[in-house]
Amino acid sequence: MESLMTMRSSDTRRSSLVGLTMKTKPTIDITLNDVQEGNLVPLYTTLDKIEGSVSISAPVDLNFDDIHITFQGASRTYVERVATTASINARSNAYHNFLRLSQPIKGTDLPGGRILKAGQTYKFPFTFVVPEKLLPQSCTHGRDNERVLDAHLQLPSSLGDPIMASDGKALLDDLAPAMAVISYAIRVIIMRRGQEGRGKPSVLIDSVKKLRIIPAVHEAPPMPLSGTSDDDYTLRKEKELKKGLFKGKLGKLTVETTQPSSLRLPFTRSNTLTCPVTTMAIVNIRFDPFEELTKPPRLGNLVTKLKVSTVFATTALRDFPCRANSYAYDSQRGVFVESLNLSSRSVESAQWTQHNTLERHDSAISIPGELPCPSASKTFWTSQILVPINLPTNSKTFVPTFHSCLVSRVYSLDLNLGVHAAAASVSSPTMHLKIPLQISAEGNPDARPTISEEEMQAIAARSVDAELAPRSVAPPSPEYTEHADIARSGSTASSITPMSPEYTEHPMLDLRTGSMARQGSLAAVMPPVPEYSEHVGVMGEMMRPTRRSDIEDRSSSELDSALPGYSALGGRTAGVRVSWDRHTSMRLEAMRV
């Protein structure tokens, strides 16, 4: 009984101490100047200004040493380690503070004596700008790909916090697991050092105000794919169709596509999409029959799905996520995949176009949907399907594609094309393609990079220094002049050595002597190799490519017939002179007697 009374008295004493501590703590109110109606959490993008003030009031006099106002971004992840024995199951956690911007507070703006007086309210304004990129110090780990650093220095989107994905009326699902959270906040900390400045500083109070950040993201180049089985994506699929059970082959069906343009999120202050976000994928189909009279198969339904993959890790990601299936048994990485149905429609009415493989097509004209496929048949059929892709707007919110040190968000498009079987005894084949898809985001069109007064003064000083810098008015040195003697007053012209004949333009070759003639002098210069020269005939007509030896062996009568423009004037062709210009093209010139 006495022990029970002792426990009750200790609990009462502890609760009274906690209540006393709560009563003596100051209160902090973080207010933003930008009031966004309808948003429980304010939404900002790249280069947006975050302006507001911090109000601090204390119920009793309180000594302090520092007040820190910061704009922070951090990611938190954890991975469950699954083992065969339940006793050794554990969780590994990771935390990465990739962004920290501090608002400077002058010492004169702090209360005198560093004491918060009871009943008084102290106000401190702050201004932050959402940066375009992170500093290199935020990503210092090793990398297996040189492009990883640039991707990790891009600002990631808010992710994983259900409060951050709310429009104030209903919670929106950003398709992220609890194992990966990226959050931004304005944070205020009041600290006090130990006695006489010794000991570890203690935090008197810590208050945060959450923000939602969706940065501007440009569309990246198409993802390079090796085309091997190691890729997570399949852009081309081939399948042989059968006539029936034990009836032979019908032909080969090939389906191919390319990575479509990104889905671009418009700039908005609302957490919901106010206009449709769409793009278009093009599917090219080719059918190569094994017999000439075989018609292409009937197409079935085309089912489109959007796969949202969130990759998270408790160690730094050294490369872009790939082979997501291998993360299932990884103790330091994981992947969470959500699948959304976009559309399902019949494409049976798609038009087929017949082509003949023996026909010669102009190189500048391509056949829509033409895919290379070796076949013994002389004909093949092609078709093309346009697949519209629309982001769903019902209770789902999407963030742009990004890659950070601990978390990555990627998207892919699954296309399943059904084909009607030629006979009831054969199952209907399905062509499955998996395409990489990007989601980009537009920034605030009115936002501009801000430059402080000190930076403007530094830029102006550099401009003045550049204008007043001494300039050289001396003539250039001879080695920097082009085939010209520079005459200086009171001095003779500088001597410039002429270029060697092999570097000059239009050396003339006399076919009768076999030597090079230029301005009345002979220069022994070898003409270009015949394989690298182009033979252009007189009067703008193209001649059959010939070697120089063939031209030299031609008789005078042959040359007369080859040059009708000159023989028509009543003259007689005495010879042909061949010249090579700097573009290695050969010209025939007639020399009249």
Side-chain angles (χ1 to χ4, degrees), residues 195-356:
Q195 294 181 354
E196 299 180 358
R198 299 177 182 177
K200 185 178 179 181
S202 59
V203 178
L204 297 179
I205 188 169
D206 186 353
S207 179
V208 297
K209 184 176 183 63
K210 292 184 177 182
L211 306 174
R212 186 166 186 245
I213 304 297
I214 302 295
V217 177
H218 300 287
E219 182 178 1
M223 182 179 298
L225 302 176
S226 61
T228 62
S229 58
D230 294 336
D231 285 336
D232 287 338
Y233 307 101
T234 305
L235 301 183
R236 179 186 175 94
K237 197 77 171 181
E238 296 181 357
K239 184 169 292 187
E240 290 187 351
L241 306 181
K242 296 182 179 180
K243 297 180 181 179
L245 192 62
F246 307 114
K247 290 185 179 181
K249 299 178 180 179
L250 184 69
K252 178 181 289 186
L253 186 66
T254 306
V255 180
E256 187 176 27
T257 186
T258 57
Q259 181 175 339
S261 301
S262 67
L263 290 163
R264 192 155 183 82
L265 301 175
F267 169 74
T268 178
R269 291 298 183 191
S270 174
N271 286 306
T272 56
L273 294 176
T274 57
C275 59
V277 179
T278 181
T279 186
M280 186 74 69
I282 301 177
V283 179
N284 295 321
I285 309 174
R286 171 166 172 163
F287 175 69
D288 287 83
F290 281 89
E291 296 179 359
E292 293 292 334
L293 301 180
T294 303
K295 299 296 182 181
R298 291 189 305 114
L299 302 178
N301 291 336
L302 179 62
V303 180
T304 307
K305 294 183 179 181
L306 178 66
K307 282 196 174 181
V308 184
S309 301
T310 305
V311 179
F312 51 92
T314 54
T315 58
L317 296 171
R318 301 175 59 92
D319 204 346
F320 296 107
C322 62
R323 301 299 302 273
N325 295 333
S326 62
Y327 295 169
Y329 303 100
D330 198 323
S331 61
Q332 296 180 333
R333 294 183 300 177
V335 60
F336 181 80
V337 181
E338 285 274 3
S339 182
L340 303 176
N341 293 324
L342 297 183
S343 63
S344 177
R345 61 193 183 98
S346 175
V347 292
E348 187 174 353
S349 60
Q351 299 295 324
W352 289 92
T353 304
Q354 186 177 7
H355 306 279
N356 194 335

Side-chain angles (χ1 to χ4, degrees), residues 427-443:
S427 60
S428 299
T430 301
M431 311 294 284
H432 178 225
L433 299 179
K434 188 175 182 180
I435 314 167
L437 183 66
Q438 298 180 27
I439 294 184
S440 57
E442 296 180 359

Side-chain angles (χ1 to χ4, degrees), residues 487-539:
R488 300 179 177 86
S489 60
S491 62
T492 59
S494 58
S495 175
I496 300 179
T497 305
M499 300 178 66
S500 302
E502 59 268 21
Y503 296 105
T504 58
E505 295 184 358
H506 311 303
M508 307 304 296
L509 173 65
D510 193 342
L511 295 182
R512 293 175 295 182
T513 61
S515 60
M516 305 298 294
R518 174 178 298 278
Q519 298 179 355
S521 61
L522 296 178
V525 181
M526 293 299 296
V529 182
E531 288 79 2
Y532 297 97
S533 61
E534 297 179 1
H535 312 312
V536 182
V538 183
M539 306 299 289

Side-chain angles (χ1 to χ4, degrees), residues 395-537:
S395 70
K396 302 293 181 183
T397 182
F398 298 90
V399 300
T401 303
F402 70 87
H403 302 280
S404 64
C405 296
L406 295 180
V407 184
S408 290
R409 166 60 69 87
V410 293
Y411 299 89
S412 62
L413 192 66
D414 279 8
L415 300 179
N416 289 278
L417 176 62
V419 181
H420 290 287
S425 58
V426 182
S427 60
S428 299
T430 301
M431 311 294 284
H432 178 225
L433 299 179
K434 188 175 182 180
I435 314 167
L437 183 66
Q438 298 180 27
I439 294 184
S440 57
E442 296 180 359
N444 187 354
D446 299 328
R448 296 291 185 271
T450 56
I451 301 177
S452 63
E453 184 177 353
E454 293 79 4
E455 291 174 330
M456 293 181 63
Q457 294 177 356
I459 294 174
R462 287 198 297 268
S463 301
V464 172
D465 293 340
E467 291 293 334
L468 299 179
R471 292 176 173 83
S472 175
V473 294
S477 302
E479 58 268 20
Y480 296 107
T481 59
E482 184 177 357
H483 312 304
D485 294 338
I486 301 177
R488 300 179 177 86
S489 60
S491 62
T492 59
S494 58
S495 175
I496 300 179
T497 305
M499 300 178 66
S500 302
E502 59 268 21
Y503 296 105
T504 58
E505 295 184 358
H506 311 303
M508 307 304 296
L509 173 65
D510 193 342
L511 295 182
R512 293 175 295 182
T513 61
S515 60
M516 305 298 294
R518 174 178 298 278
Q519 298 179 355
S521 61
L522 296 178
V525 181
M526 293 299 296
V529 182
E531 288 79 2
Y532 297 97
S533 61
E534 297 179 1
H535 312 312
V536 182

